[in-house]
Amino acid sequence: MDSATIDLQAEVNRLCHEIQTLEVQRESENGESITISDYILKRLEQLDVTSIFGLPGDFNMRMDFIEDHPTIKWIGNCNELNASYAADGYARVKERSIGVVVTTFGVGELSAINGIAGAFSEMVPVLHIVGVPSTTQLKSKPMLHHTLGNGRFDAYTKAAEQVTIAQAAIMTPRQAGPEIDRILTECITHARPVYLTLPMDLVAAKIPAKRLKVALPRTPPANNPDVENYVLDEIVKLVDDAKQDVVILVDACAIRHDVRQEVSDLLTKTQFPVYASPMGKTAVSEEHERYGGIYVGSITQPSIKEKVEGAKLILSIGALKSDFNTGMFTYHIPTARTVELHSDQTLIRHGHFPGIGMKLLLPKLTERLSKYKQGALKIPVLRFKLDVPKEGDYKISHAYFWPRLGKFFRKQDVIVAETGTSNFGVLDVPMPDKSIFVSQILFGSIGWATASTLGAALAARDRGLGRTILFTGDGSMQLTVQEISTMIHYKLKPIIFVLNNKGYNIERHLHGLDRKYNDIVDWKWTSLLTTLGDTDGKLSKSYTVRSKAELDKLLDDDEFASAQKIQLVEVLMDKYDTPRALQAAADLTAKMAAKSVG
């Protein structure tokens, strides 16, 4: 679907919502009004938001409006970048809700923009609210603090336009309700960040409350019925031609665009074998009887690679074909054997059908394909296992660490992995049913995982999920370590594994194995929790493990596993040891670099 069509459909949706709102306003005799800030909070409450991240500033929305709200909590962060990462993590775990971050004009919003960019890249719905100068100042453009000093008051909005799908600048009370509803609708229907500026003199301005009675639309645009029927017929023909030798490959957008249930129904009624990409990990239960493992192109475990690439037809759901997600673009799946379902289009071999979205298509496709169930069941699916190797030495290697942690995971755990070493290490580890894997594989901002864990842990607590477990490196942790203090302040209890290998492991293996720029200053990691908030040591506990035996003893300890307090585990590892998948990716990267130079 081209940008013009998307814009047109968005305008149609907005007008339909406005018509519904006007009907409610005509029918209601109640002239109740509400402040703009409370209107925003009411809409967020309807979207099941219970935490808002950010920092106070002299221009941003008054914190007392949020702090006084009965169900939404203000989560004060250490800096705006961390706040945006936390909002991202919150939205990933609190599915069908959104993340929200509040910053002040200029200095605050620019600090947050990297986190917003990551959310845009990976299709995570986040609302960025920016408190800006008064409407009078925005028009007269005096040389205010936090500006560039040249009268360009729109400079930050122009920056935000590059990393958000919709923007709204509230300048009058009359436009507030419609504009707030418009960008929130864009946020939840497209799973992308949006940007809202609110002048300081309009925070308490009153607007009609009636339109709050009309829920924001979540349903995607209807598929053209004639084109949809043609698409369904074509897919069924391809399944017939494939003699039912069909594999389903699930990716990140199955999560982002809310088709988990539709995919589950498809698997139940067809029993086709299913595999996932790295970004789609835990999109389907990894304990499902037809689940075969993770496919990452040439980096894939050989037994999985053979099954996926040998299938006569691949039904791809929600693909995001980035470099790390595809094994450095080494998918060996010809277009002629592929059907791709996306949120706003369908690709059948070399045919392109814009506007045919998977949310509405999948239930109909499931009914059409259910007749193939018995034939699909004849296709064997090997349950991928990752056994803990028997190594003779005492050192904790990646080959040992990740399979051993796989035995530690439980149902409903939220597992957060930092970009790089941890992402690649945990890739092959089968995860329990109803667990949630959170990582930033496409944007790959080092340090993202620690601050994201704050949001993920809050969302997990809201949803009644299990433990929140973070895997990060010593280098990555140093970028955003301050947010551990926020976790302690709000009595969150994640288990934090810090892989201490004296620097940037992924960078070493991509380039500069022995270069000093990949080294870092070593910290006293076991002192962090007391330094960053647990001053009397009652709310936390820290450990250092140097050997396999020490690691095993800790993981087998019931008190540690129960996660009754925040815990940090420093894992001492060899400087040059690296996970299998990361080494394979590094080798591919080196080959690609050599070709480009040649």
Side-chain angles (χ1 to χ4, degrees):
M1 184 181 293
D2 58 33
S3 59
T5 305
I6 292 172
D7 292 343
L8 179 60
Q9 185 62 59
E11 181 63 13
V12 170
N13 292 343
R14 187 190 69 79
L15 290 173
C16 289
H17 183 261
E18 285 302 306
I19 291 170
Q20 285 182 290
T21 303
L22 289 172
E23 289 174 350
V24 168
Q25 289 176 343
R26 281 198 300 267
E27 293 170 1
S28 174
E29 296 179 359
N30 182 5
E32 181 184 358
S33 62
I34 189 172
T35 65
I36 294 176
S37 54
D38 281 338
Y39 185 95
I40 294 170
L41 293 175
K42 190 65 178 177
R43 279 299 192 204
L44 295 179
E45 185 180 19
Q46 292 173 352
L47 294 174
D48 197 25
V49 172
T50 54
S51 295
I52 291 178
F53 305 90
L55 280 83
D58 54 346
F59 289 127
N60 69 2
M61 193 169 75
R62 299 176 190 174
M63 298 302 102
D64 47 352
F65 283 99
I66 303 174
E67 189 172 309
D68 294 342
H69 194 278
T71 62
I72 298 177
K73 291 184 176 64
W74 168 255
I75 307 297
N77 297 92
C78 298
N79 61 56
E80 291 87 356
L81 174 62
N82 288 352
S84 61
Y85 286 161
D88 178 313
Y90 180 90
R92 289 175 190 248
V93 176
K94 193 81 172 282
E95 294 175 22
R96 292 187 61 77
S97 185
I98 66 172
V100 183
V101 58
V102 177
T103 68
T104 196
F105 177 63
V107 293
E109 59 181 306
L110 290 182
S111 180
I113 199 168
N114 184 57
I116 301 300
F120 184 90
S121 172
E122 302 221 345
M123 295 190 179
V124 181
V126 173
L127 168 64
H128 185 186
I129 303 173
V130 180
V132 298
S134 69
T135 52
T136 300
Q137 292 170 328
L138 290 173
K139 293 174 183 176
S140 61
K141 298 180 176 59
M143 192 177 289
L144 290 178
H145 63 288
H146 297 344
T147 70
L148 300 175
N150 60 0
R152 292 175 55 215
F153 277 48
D154 64 344
Y156 310 132
T157 299
K158 288 182 177 179
E161 288 173 356
Q162 310 307 310
V163 295
T164 56
I165 197 168
Q167 308 81 35
I170 307 300
M171 289 296 286
T172 66
R174 183 173 183 176
Q175 70 172 149
E179 283 292 271
I180 292 165
D181 288 357
R182 176 181 66 83
I183 64 166
L184 285 176
T185 300
E186 292 288 288
C187 184
I188 60 179
T189 56
H190 294 289
R192 299 273 197 180
V194 294
Y195 174 85
L196 172 68
T197 61
L198 182 59
M200 56 194 303
D201 59 326
L202 293 184
V203 171
K206 294 290 188 73
I207 61 175
K210 296 173 184 176
R211 63 184 299 123
L212 289 168
K213 296 180 180 180
V214 180
L216 298 175
R218 282 186 174 273
T219 307
N223 294 334
N224 180 300
D226 292 335
V227 178
E228 184 180 65
N229 282 330
Y230 178 80
V231 164
L232 291 167
D233 289 342
E234 288 300 301
I235 296 175
V236 171
K237 287 179 184 177
L238 289 177
V239 173
D240 278 333
D241 292 344
K243 307 297 183 187
Q244 305 170 40
D245 184 5
V246 179
V247 159
I248 297 172
L249 183 60
V250 183
D251 210 331
C253 287
I255 303 170
R256 306 289 191 265
H257 292 282
D258 189 32
V259 296
R260 277 187 191 267
Q261 187 57 53
E262 288 81 357
V263 172
S264 178
D265 291 343
L266 176 66
L267 297 178
T268 299
K269 293 182 179 180
T270 66
Q271 292 293 305
F272 289 131
V274 61
Y275 299 83
S277 72
M279 291 181 69
K281 191 171 177 65
T282 69
V284 298
S285 172
E286 297 192 0
E287 292 186 355
H288 192 285
E289 64 272 15
R290 303 295 285 168
Y291 175 76
I294 298 292
Y295 176 68
V296 210
S298 294
I299 298 174
T300 311
Q301 293 281 358
S303 60
I304 297 172
K305 186 175 184 292
E306 179 185 356
K307 290 292 184 182
V308 174
E309 296 179 359
K312 293 180 180 177
L313 182 66
I314 306 294
L315 183 58
S316 170
I317 301 177
L320 270 175
K321 295 183 179 180
S322 70
D323 49 2
F324 284 159
N325 202 37
T326 62
M328 310 311 294
F329 305 117
T330 59
Y331 268 23
H332 293 288
I333 306 173
T335 303
R337 290 196 280 124
T338 304
V339 172
E340 290 189 21
L341 307 184
H342 295 276
S343 63
D344 58 359
Q345 61 180 324
T346 298
L347 306 175
I348 301 178
R349 304 174 78 181
H350 297 283
H352 180 210
F353 301 90
I356 303 300
M358 62 184 173
K359 179 72 174 177
L360 300 177
L361 180 71
L362 272 169
K364 298 171 185 176
L365 182 61
T366 297
E367 292 307 310
R368 293 276 198 105
L369 299 182
S370 60
K371 64 183 179 180
Y372 298 107
K373 180 176 180 178
Q374 293 306 314
L377 281 169
K378 296 176 183 178
I379 302 172
V381 178
L382 298 176
R383 302 268 318 173
F384 178 72
K385 295 181 180 181
L386 191 63
D387 295 324
V388 181
K390 294 180 179 180
E391 296 181 338
D393 63 356
Y394 73 93
K395 292 182 180 179
I396 303 173
S397 65
H398 284 281
Y400 184 89
F401 180 76
W402 296 107
R404 181 63 184 86
L405 262 296
K407 310 298 182 185
F408 177 73
F409 295 152
R410 297 176 177 173
K411 289 187 177 183
Q412 293 194 310
D413 278 346
V414 175
I415 299 158
V416 185
E418 177 59 88
T419 186
T421 307
S422 297
N423 264 342
F424 281 98
V426 80
L427 197 62
D428 293 330
V429 178
M431 294 186 176
D433 186 39
K434 298 181 181 177
S435 58
I436 296 176
F437 178 61
V438 181
S439 65
Q440 196 192 56
I441 292 175
L442 173 54
F443 197 63
S445 185
I446 293 178
W448 168 88
T450 299
S452 181
T453 294
L454 167 65
L458 285 164
R461 187 161 70 183
D462 286 351
R463 291 186 57 186
L465 298 174
R467 306 168 301 181
T468 300
I469 304 172
L470 166 64
F471 295 98
T472 187
D474 51 349
S476 297
M477 174 70 90
Q478 291 190 4
L479 275 74
T480 50
V481 68
Q482 312 96 315
E483 230 49 51
I484 289 178
S485 67
T486 314
M487 299 178 201
I488 294 172
H489 179 66
Y490 291 101
K491 295 181 171 55
L492 299 171
K493 303 169 184 177
I495 300 174
I496 302 169
F497 289 92
V498 180
L499 310 186
N500 185 348
N501 48 21
K502 313 302 181 189
Y504 303 116
N505 181 272
I506 183 172
E507 306 297 350
R508 288 191 202 285
H509 288 273
L510 292 175
H511 184 77
L513 189 67
D514 295 302
R515 290 291 182 177
K516 291 181 180 180
Y517 51 67
N518 285 324
D519 297 337
I520 63 168
V521 176
D522 202 9
W523 286 5
K524 190 174 181 181
W525 295 100
T526 52
S527 297
L528 277 181
L529 299 182
T530 51
T531 301
L532 295 176
D534 183 23
T535 53
D536 58 9
K538 294 181 179 179
L539 301 175
S540 68
K541 196 162 184 180
S542 297
Y543 312 83
T544 296
V545 291
R546 300 172 176 82
S547 67
K548 294 181 176 72
E550 289 179 352
L551 175 65
D552 291 343
K553 182 179 178 181
L554 181 62
L555 296 180
D556 289 337
D557 184 272
D558 291 338
E559 183 180 353
F560 171 75
S562 66
Q564 295 303 305
K565 56 179 66 176
I566 184 170
Q567 299 174 102
L568 184 145
V569 183
E570 177 189 16
V571 184
L572 295 180
M573 307 186 87
D574 183 85
K575 183 176 180 178
Y576 299 107
D577 188 34
T578 200
R580 177 202 68 82
L582 177 53
Q583 186 61 63
D587 292 343
L588 284 172
T589 301
K591 290 179 182 178
M592 292 168 63
K595 287 181 180 179
S596 64
V597 172

